[in-house]
Amino acid sequence: MDDPERMKVLQDADQSTAEQYRRFLSNKGACFLSKTGKEGEVVPTPINVTLLPTPVSRSAYEHVKAVQDPLNRLIDSVSRDVDYVTECVLPTTSVDYLAKRLLDIYHQCKDDEGKITLGMYRHDYMFHTQDPRAPEAITKGQFKMVEVNLMSAALLGTGNLAMQLHSNVLGHKMPDRVQPFERTLPPMVKGAYEAHKLYNRPDSVFLFLVAPDDFNWFDQQKIIDELWEVYGIRSLKMTYEEFMREGKVDEDRRYWVRGSEVAIIYFRTHWNESHYTTEEHWEARLKMEKSRAIVVPNIRHQVLNLKLFQQAFLKPGIVERYLNAEDSSKVRTVFAQLHQLSLGPEGDRAAQLAFDSPQGWVLKPSREGGGNNFWDDEMLEKLRELKGSEKREAYVLMEKLRPPHIPNRVVRNRPNSSPELTEIFDTTGELGLHCVFVADSQGKVVMNEVAGPLMRTKPASCNEGGVAIGIGVMDSVVFDKEK
């Protein structure tokens, strides 16, 4: 990219800049809990963050933002179509244990009395361009969907703090640059309030289900504070196992724990079958769904979280079954090519695409969570291993997206250490859009909003880029300077 003003800011930064960033993040509570290496010791550590925000096309950003309303309605409408959901998921249940168990719970709950729906989503996109290194790469292309995250969408509380940091920097160094400064947390928490209001039990609580070694304490605490300070809603935080032991359902199907009625059960764990270590874990998941409590995500949305639905939506006429022509056309603009690897000629043809052009595809498991993808030679090796096996049906083949290469630097923070400021290197960004969706017990939509953006960035040389695994870092969005 050709931006001398940006390059000068990158070149002029030094260790004192990194120290200023660390102090800002610490002061704002933009931290994870990190292990120090001493047994049992964890300390707050500021998030890793880019020196400058990633530039994006304003028109492309506004377009993908406008897609979220019909996309959220599509997800909810499809999730209520029992026959179609079964048609999509059933063929994978012999090889995908998570899909099998989720579909089983889904069927056990399909005839239950209507429940309030609260969706706290994050939909992830990459800007797809033909030549990532071209000067016009930022504007020549469009955002394409990487995945929908309907469960445990993290960084809701801390994600906006990178934008606050970058806003301060731009104000001093590049004052003519514009950011989509949307505070993500208030709209998301307002959605929780709207669902709580529909539940109509003022003293009931919002319950976080977290992992025993949860490192995202600060992120969740910001949600807890907003719920209490703005709406007077109390929160509890428990592990799944604690809730299994202590939670009770009364004869009116209301969930109680530690003397409080639970209105909303918010999952920040148990998105993978490895988390369900006993049959009691699955029984507890069903018990939650059968209660009056609002589960986030409910079983309908958790099933729709399987990546196979991204492929299903590509089929002619499917999106149009649930949305009008205008909204269908809009939603289809963000779909990347995706192929389900079923056994038989169709799946074989899809697999052959990867052998014909290994650089153009990525092999993904059809479930939640990153870091399990196969690229390049590893992808081909995995496909050879899966050939003729039913296990291939648990994977999807996705078009490899080519986001622009953006020069940047990163401030890396470690526990009880001075921050490290990297040299300038090429990065690629992934844009997440946090959304909140609320529907009443009759399915009428009460709230459907885009809360705000979350940008995460990784080295352009790396395929995987999760923040949790230390490769990706927090970032924010700035609109590309108009020429």
Side-chain angles (χ1 to χ4, degrees):
M1 61 177 294
D2 182 19
D3 191 339
E5 184 182 22
R6 178 186 174 90
M7 286 302 296
K8 186 176 188 314
V9 174
L10 293 175
Q11 292 164 352
D12 288 349
D14 56 20
Q15 185 60 28
S16 67
T17 310
E19 296 286 356
Q20 291 171 10
Y21 278 41
R22 184 181 176 98
R23 286 194 293 272
F24 180 96
L25 296 168
S26 297
N27 182 54
K28 294 291 185 177
C31 300
F32 292 133
L33 291 178
S34 302
K35 295 179 180 179
T36 64
K38 296 180 182 179
E39 186 175 355
E41 183 180 63
V42 293
V43 295
T45 304
I47 59 177
N48 299 327
V49 66
T50 56
L51 194 73
L52 289 176
T54 290
V56 303
S57 159
R58 185 170 197 154
S59 60
Y61 176 85
E62 295 296 344
H63 174 76
V64 74
K65 181 180 174 183
V67 168
Q68 305 315 296
D69 178 292
L71 176 63
N72 294 337
R73 287 187 279 110
L74 172 67
I75 288 167
D76 189 63
S77 296
V78 173
S79 77
R80 297 174 187 273
D81 188 337
V82 177
D83 291 340
Y84 183 65
V85 168
T86 304
E87 176 188 329
C88 290
V89 180
L90 190 60
T92 71
T93 55
S94 61
V95 293
D96 189 333
Y97 186 68
L98 177 64
K100 179 179 185 300
R101 296 306 300 258
L102 292 179
L103 187 63
D104 179 56
I105 296 173
Y106 177 87
H107 281 149
Q108 291 186 64
C109 299
K110 63 184 175 67
D111 296 323
D112 287 357
E113 178 186 344
K115 290 179 61 172
I116 299 159
T117 297
L118 170 60
M120 300 174 74
Y121 312 146
R122 193 189 71 237
H123 305 317
D124 293 339
Y125 300 87
M126 279 187 174
F127 192 81
H128 185 46
T129 186
Q130 289 302 310
D131 184 358
R133 294 180 176 83
E136 68 276 8
I138 295 170
T139 56
K140 299 295 185 181
Q142 57 187 323
F143 281 105
K144 293 291 185 180
M145 180 182 289
V146 176
E147 62 183 359
V148 299
N149 292 281
L150 310 183
M151 183 175 191
S152 301
L155 303 173
L156 168 58
T158 56
N160 249 175
L161 297 176
M163 183 172 283
Q164 288 185 33
L165 169 63
H166 287 152
S167 178
N168 289 346
V169 174
L170 294 177
H172 288 90
K173 304 288 187 181
M174 304 165 70
D176 60 334
R177 306 301 171 98
V178 178
Q179 289 187 288
F181 196 78
E182 299 155 326
R183 291 190 64 225
T184 303
L185 187 62
M188 296 294 280
V189 174
K190 183 175 186 290
Y193 161 72
E194 293 293 344
H196 190 273
K197 187 166 63 173
L198 288 171
Y199 190 78
N200 199 27
R201 307 275 281 200
D203 294 331
S204 57
V205 301
F206 185 106
L207 174 70
F208 289 77
L209 289 183
V210 300
D213 56 351
D214 181 51
F215 65 89
N216 228 345
W217 184 91
F218 287 87
D219 188 49
Q220 294 153 15
Q221 189 62 39
K222 294 183 187 311
I223 302 172
I224 290 171
D225 292 345
E226 185 89 0
L227 281 167
W228 175 248
E229 293 169 5
V230 179
Y231 299 108
I233 298 173
R234 294 183 300 119
S235 299
L236 291 175
K237 188 185 291 189
M238 305 176 71
T239 66
Y240 196 91
E241 288 73 14
E242 288 172 335
F243 191 52
M244 283 170 55
R245 290 195 304 269
E246 301 179 40
K248 307 293 181 187
V249 179
D250 67 18
E251 57 188 25
D252 195 30
R253 296 173 37 239
R254 299 189 182 276
Y255 235 122
W256 294 81
V257 68
R258 297 180 182 174
S260 296
E261 182 181 348
V262 179
I264 299 170
I265 302 172
Y266 177 45
F267 274 77
R268 294 300 299 263
T269 182
H270 280 66
W271 59 81
N272 197 305
E273 74 264 24
S274 64
H275 299 147
Y276 294 83
T277 55
T278 67
E279 187 60 28
E280 285 73 22
H281 282 73
W282 291 108
E283 292 171 358
R285 181 67 182 89
L286 175 62
K287 185 178 177 181
M288 294 177 210
E289 205 66 37
K290 287 282 191 179
S291 75
R292 290 183 182 269
I294 304 164
V295 185
V296 187
N298 60 35
I299 192 62
R300 294 186 289 105
H301 289 183
Q302 191 173 356
V303 170
L304 263 287
N305 210 44
L306 297 168
K307 288 187 179 70
L308 60 89
F309 283 98
Q310 286 177 245
Q311 190 275 333
F313 292 159
L314 288 170
K315 296 178 180 178
I318 296 301
V319 174
E320 291 75 10
R321 190 184 300 176
Y322 305 96
L323 299 176
N324 64 36
E326 180 182 354
D327 286 341
S328 297
S329 178
K330 188 184 296 184
V331 167
R332 286 192 178 279
T333 62
V334 301
F335 290 162
Q337 288 300 307
L338 209 87
H339 298 277
Q340 204 166 348
L341 295 169
S342 55
L343 287 181
E346 185 177 350
D348 291 342
R349 284 192 294 271
Q352 188 59 43
L353 293 172
F355 287 99
D356 293 342
S357 180
Q359 299 301 317
W361 301 92
V362 55
L363 185 66
K364 295 187 170 190
S366 181
R367 76 258 316 270
E368 165 71 13
N372 302 300
N373 303 325
F374 296 89
W375 311 78
D376 306 324
D377 290 342
E378 286 187 355
M379 173 183 65
L380 300 183
E381 182 180 346
K382 186 66 176 179
L383 284 170
R384 291 188 189 100
E385 175 190 322
L386 294 171
K387 186 176 181 180
S389 169
E390 285 187 341
K391 292 181 180 179
R392 194 175 72 176
E393 297 188 356
Y395 292 83
V396 295
L397 190 70
M398 182 177 175
E399 174 185 12
K400 186 176 181 180
L401 303 179
R402 295 183 294 274
H405 289 194
I406 307 296
N408 215 330
R409 301 177 78 174
V410 168
V411 176
R412 293 196 175 276
N413 292 294
R414 291 184 293 271
N416 300 327
S417 301
S418 297
E420 173 198 352
L421 178 63
T422 70
E423 297 299 321
I424 299 173
F425 62 95
D426 279 349
T427 67
T428 57
E430 182 171 304
L431 172 70
L433 290 173
H434 281 289
C435 299
V436 59
F437 182 91
V438 182
D440 66 17
S441 59
Q442 304 304 309
K444 179 183 177 182
V445 178
V446 174
M447 185 177 181
N448 182 10
E449 293 184 12
V450 179
L454 172 76
M455 180 67 83
R456 290 149 300 154
T457 288
K458 65 177 179 62
S461 58
C462 295
N463 284 322
E464 300 287 1
V467 172
I469 60 176
I471 298 175
V473 303
M474 297 300 298
D475 193 355
S476 70
V477 172
V478 63
F479 292 132
D480 184 42
K481 187 176 181 181
E482 295 183 3
K483 301 296 190 290

